[in-house]
Amino acid sequence: MKLYIDTDHIVSELDELAGFSDAPAPAVTRIVFSPADLQARAWLKEKCAAAGLGVREDAVGNCFARWAGTDPSLPAVASGSHIDAIPHSGRFDGTVGVVGMLEAMRALQAAGFRPRRSIELIHFTSEEPTRFGLGCLGSRLLSGSLAAERAAALKDTHGATLDEVREAAGFTGGLESVALPPNRYHAFVELHIEQGPLLERTQVPLGVVTAIAAPATLDIAVQGEGGHAGGVLMPYRRDALAAAAEIVLAVEAAAKSTGAIDTVGTVGICEVFPGAVNSVPSQVRITADVRDVQLERRNAVLAAIGERCQAVAASRRVTVTCDVLNADAPAECSVLVMGALEAACRELEVAYRSMVSRAYHDSLFMARIAPTAMLFIPCRDGVSHRPDEFATPEDIARGTLVLAHALARLAG
């Protein structure tokens, strides 16, 4: 089957989508349920309707655009991603998977392909955690990984609940209705920029993802004793920041101790009280992120950090509490879906490599309910979540073409 991918059309649509932003170009800011997000959603629905797709939305705003197959009773094949964007980020994260999927469907239609299984584009709500503090909100609810009651209790930085915000945006109904029934999908595949440098460095045009790492988030609070920087002598100090510094290094050491390249640990937040140069810090709160593609190995790192926290508390005479805010399980990708992607690459004579995704995506939760895999295209210098995030039109079109061929295999 000869498929034509309209590269200029994809680039034009990505540019149009980037225009729905609360930040000046080239940056993109599109927070879920903001006016910019709602404008982008309306634009996407118009594009899907123009392609002859049946569009529906659920109570949290996940959007489904379906091309009915010749046997609608069969579980469908789906692909998609997200279009929300963190503040001052780029125009390719998530959007390549949405716009690329739409173009893949149009290319199959133009070629006269008739799918046996229905093919569905999914636009997931709030993949980014910006507004409600929890990433992959839509796919968590779709997959039943997040209880409706817990989702309803989420609040944004202004204290508005998820229910208040979504209903004001026009998405009504109970959140319990979002979870999909069993066997809704035969397969799910997500096209995405790599958000890392490996493909570009190795000069391989595509990556077939074999596993998706998942984060565990730790909230670590250190309570010491403050005082005047000149008045509290060193032997008597219970410096919360000095203790926290040891814990930060312990996070790094625990991640390195596994010897596995796929184990990573990061402390990205450190809040110090009272925050004065001439005052001994009395309280510190740090947030740590630990990721791996192997659940047991990641959990061993969490245990090691917890043990080190208590050792530091004893040696420095401070109190340390370590709470797990979130701990998702990693996902292994489906042999069925990886096989379809690999077969498409071979058919098109496109080189690819197997790789893991160290960032997590909606695919992590779709893998709970459907055979799932991801297809990565390179991004320049591995940069993402910045205004200079960039993927070439050629790479986007190549990924879209492979996606289209894989969809044809899975849906035919």
Side-chain angles (χ1 to χ4, degrees), residues 138-350:
S139 55
R140 285 179 191 270
L141 284 165
L142 278 181
S143 63
S145 302
L146 176 65
E149 296 78 13
R150 185 185 170 202
L154 295 173
K155 294 183 179 181
D156 66 12
T157 54
H158 300 291
T161 66
L162 172 60
D163 278 351
E164 291 170 340
V165 174
R166 70 182 176 90
E167 288 172 4
F171 301 107
T172 58
L175 289 176
E176 67 279 356
S177 67
V178 174
L180 293 174
N183 302 316
R184 167 84 173 190
Y185 295 115
H186 172 67
F188 177 81
V189 57
E190 183 172 4
L191 174 66
H192 209 282
I193 59 171
E194 181 193 352
Q195 298 181 288
L198 187 59
L199 290 175
E200 185 180 64
R201 286 178 182 172
T202 57
Q203 296 186 319
V204 178
L206 291 173
V208 176
V209 175
T210 60
I212 306 168
T217 305
L218 299 177
D219 179 63
I220 303 173
V222 183
Q223 179 68 55
E225 186 174 274
H228 194 286
V232 182
L233 301 180
M234 299 306 287
Y236 308 107
R237 292 201 175 190
R238 298 168 57 205
D239 187 324
L241 182 56
E246 285 197 40
I247 293 170
V248 171
L249 294 176
V251 171
E252 179 185 57
K256 287 182 175 181
S257 70
T258 70
I261 194 67
D262 296 323
T263 313
V264 291
T266 307
V267 174
I269 298 175
C270 181
E271 300 171 346
V272 182
F273 180 85
V277 67
N278 60 345
S279 181
V280 177
S282 61
Q283 300 172 40
V284 173
R285 182 177 296 276
I286 63 177
T287 305
D289 179 297
V290 179
R291 304 186 186 208
D292 206 323
V293 294
Q294 288 189 9
L295 182 63
E296 296 79 7
R297 194 165 59 202
R298 189 200 66 191
N299 288 348
V301 171
L302 297 180
I305 293 170
E307 291 173 5
R308 187 59 189 151
C309 283
Q310 295 314 306
V312 169
S315 66
R316 288 192 169 270
R317 297 178 295 116
V318 297
T319 301
V320 179
T321 58
C322 183
D323 295 322
V324 179
L325 297 182
N326 189 67
D328 295 308
E332 291 188 6
C333 291
S334 159
V335 172
L336 169 73
V337 187
M338 289 189 294
L341 292 169
E342 291 166 353
C345 287
R346 290 192 297 269
E347 178 184 352
L348 296 166
E349 298 182 342
V350 177

